[in-house]
Amino acid sequence: MIDRAGLAEFLRRRRESLQPEDVGLPRGQRRRTTGLRREEVATLCHISVDYYSRLERERGPHPSEQMIASIAQGLHLSLDERDHLFRLAGHNPPTRGATSEHISPGLLRIFDRLIDTPAEIVTELGETLRQTPLGVALTGDLTRYTGPARSIGYRWFTDPACRALYHPDDHETHSRVYAAGLRSTVTLRGPDSRAARLQHLLLSRSEEFRTVWNEHEVGIRFNEAKRFVHPQLGALELACQVLLDPEQSHMLLVYTAVPGSESYEKLQLLSVIGNQDIVPR
């Protein structure tokens, strides 16, 4: 059963404990509210202000698991706080670990500060959970995919269009990296895992994947530099730095260019060009 009073109190306390800068929002002037405003929380959680306000007032419909997950992420809750919120709302908490899509507050705090560089948070299967605006400008919106296509590895072998953003000379390396990475994940997570289901799906749908998979390669990795072919900017060579959250198996990928290089100058144009006519990765 939903604990409306407990849910309302917990939401209020969490909202009041956060400052705009904690969640990547500007503070603005004449701020009198203690913590975040309800309007700001609603924006972070991708819900209406009216809906969120009713929850804090012990009113409104019984929130779904999807709604509670969105609120937990928007409020930058820890896993323990997320689980508590689910129970207050009358739901069993989601699983933790590799299958969880709840991003840790520490990783989110770093991500929220990356306002001037392309970056994304991905799962171990290459599913993009968050992108910075410049990340979207570089590769297009990668969070819009559903089903197996959420995985960059799946798209790489089943949708030729996603390869257009990468230098043709690197395509073979990408194929080997994605196959080797999936093999390691299948071995780590077991035959009943999501990784194993993705493997079987690719084996049935891609001849190229079957060929690469049968090489049984492991430990194949990208070079530090990735070569992109942007539809407006042309060739860019960007270093990809990776920060791993081992508890959730999420990775923060940050793309940078050598200062003074041609690629660095092109990155400066990304904020102007935006995400117009980007070919999906």
Side-chain angles (χ1 to χ4, degrees):
M1 296 292 293
I2 183 173
D3 179 355
R4 289 195 177 275
L7 177 63
E9 179 65 17
F10 184 69
L11 291 176
R12 283 194 299 269
R13 293 294 185 183
R14 286 300 300 142
R15 175 172 61 81
E16 292 171 355
S17 69
L18 290 171
Q19 299 301 316
E21 52 269 28
D22 296 333
V23 294
L25 295 176
R27 171 165 288 276
Q29 299 178 347
R30 298 183 179 180
R31 189 174 191 90
R32 299 177 181 177
T33 304
T34 301
L36 296 180
R37 300 186 179 99
R38 291 189 179 94
E39 293 83 358
E40 292 169 327
V41 172
T43 298
L44 291 169
C45 300
H46 307 290
I47 59 178
S48 71
V49 178
D50 177 68
Y51 187 96
Y52 179 80
S53 298
R54 283 188 289 167
L55 289 179
E56 282 202 4
R57 293 172 180 143
E58 305 179 30
R59 296 162 52 195
H62 187 178
S64 66
E65 294 182 33
Q66 182 178 3
M67 185 65 70
I68 290 300
S70 182
I71 293 173
Q73 194 68 87
L75 287 173
H76 287 43
L77 300 186
S78 68
L79 284 174
D80 288 335
E81 291 169 332
R82 180 205 66 173
D83 292 352
H84 181 64
L85 181 67
F86 266 83
R87 295 188 181 101
L88 289 174
H91 299 298
N92 291 323
T95 57
R96 299 189 180 196
T99 60
S100 173
E101 295 189 2
H102 183 79
I103 304 169
S104 70
L107 199 61
L108 272 180
R109 283 193 291 271
I110 299 172
F111 176 84
D112 289 337
R113 285 160 172 77
L114 298 174
I115 59 176
D116 61 350
T117 190
E120 60 181 322
I121 296 176
V122 302
T123 70
E124 65 182 10
L125 294 181
E127 302 156 324
T128 300
L129 303 178
R130 291 283 181 95
Q131 286 176 282
T132 61
L134 284 181
V136 176
L138 176 66
T139 63
D141 182 5
L142 306 182
T143 66
R144 65 185 180 87
Y145 293 98
T146 60
R150 294 182 63 206
S151 167
I152 174 58
Y154 180 86
R155 297 196 303 275
W156 184 261
F157 289 105
T158 61
D159 181 8
C162 83
R163 302 189 178 197
L165 274 176
Y166 299 92
H167 196 286
D169 291 347
D170 298 336
H171 287 187
E172 180 182 352
T173 298
H174 279 250
S175 297
R176 294 174 63 204
V177 168
Y178 291 137
L182 182 58
R183 181 178 295 279
S184 296
T185 305
V186 170
T187 302
L188 177 65
R189 303 303 176 193
D192 297 324
S193 63
R194 292 177 60 235
R197 291 193 291 274
L198 189 64
Q199 167 212 334
H200 294 305
L201 194 59
L202 281 169
L203 285 172
S204 69
R205 297 187 178 183
S206 170
E207 181 178 354
E208 180 190 3
F209 178 79
R210 290 193 296 271
T211 299
V212 180
W213 183 261
N214 287 336
E215 294 297 322
H216 289 265
E217 291 184 310
V218 294
I220 308 298
R221 296 178 176 84
F222 292 114
N223 295 326
E224 181 180 333
K226 279 190 177 182
R227 295 192 291 179
F228 292 88
V229 182
H230 191 276
Q232 279 79 43
L233 300 178
L236 295 93
E237 184 169 308
L238 304 178
C240 180
Q241 305 297 327
V242 181
L243 177 64
L244 174 66
D245 178 359
E247 186 174 6
Q248 293 292 87
S249 296
H250 293 159
M251 292 172 286
L252 172 61
L253 311 181
V254 183
Y255 299 97
T256 61
V258 176
S261 67
E262 182 179 354
S263 293
Y264 183 87
E265 298 301 324
K266 289 180 179 180
L267 274 185
Q268 310 310 305
L269 297 176
L270 269 180
S271 58
V272 179
I273 293 176
N275 59 358
Q276 301 175 14
D277 301 324
I278 303 298
V279 178
R281 176 163 73 102

